Amino acid sequence: KSVRAFCTHPIFAPGSLEKIMSAGIDEMTVSDTIPLPMKMNLPRLKTVSCVPEVARVLRSLTTNNQ
């Protein structure tokens, strides 16, 4: 078995990400809704882009309101 964590808006207090990763989590996935500092580029930290979905919704809203 593996332990995976997911976070929508990755705001981490100083040192908290390292504590989370050292607690036995195999992988942590975060969204790109808030930019991560480059120093948080850890091998088991994955970033998922929300840009395509946000663009789709905004396009849909713009198209439907015209």
Side-chain angles (χ1 to χ4, degrees):
K1 293 186 178 185
S2 64
V3 176
R4 299 181 192 285
F6 298 89
C7 176
T8 305
H9 307 292
I11 301 175
F12 298 105
S16 63
L17 185 58
E18 290 79 8
K19 288 180 182 178
I20 292 169
M21 298 305 274
S22 67
I25 292 176
D26 297 305
E27 181 180 271
M28 181 163 208
T29 303
V30 300
S31 69
D32 64 353
T33 56
I34 298 173
L36 286 176
M38 290 303 291
K39 65 182 178 179
M40 288 192 175
N41 189 12
L42 302 171
R44 295 179 291 143
L45 181 65
K46 309 292 182 204
T47 304
V48 175
S49 178
C50 293
V51 173
E53 187 62 19
V54 171
R56 184 191 67 76
V57 169
L58 291 175
R59 196 174 302 115
S60 171
L61 291 171
T62 303
T63 303
N64 291 336
N65 289 331
Q66 291 183 354

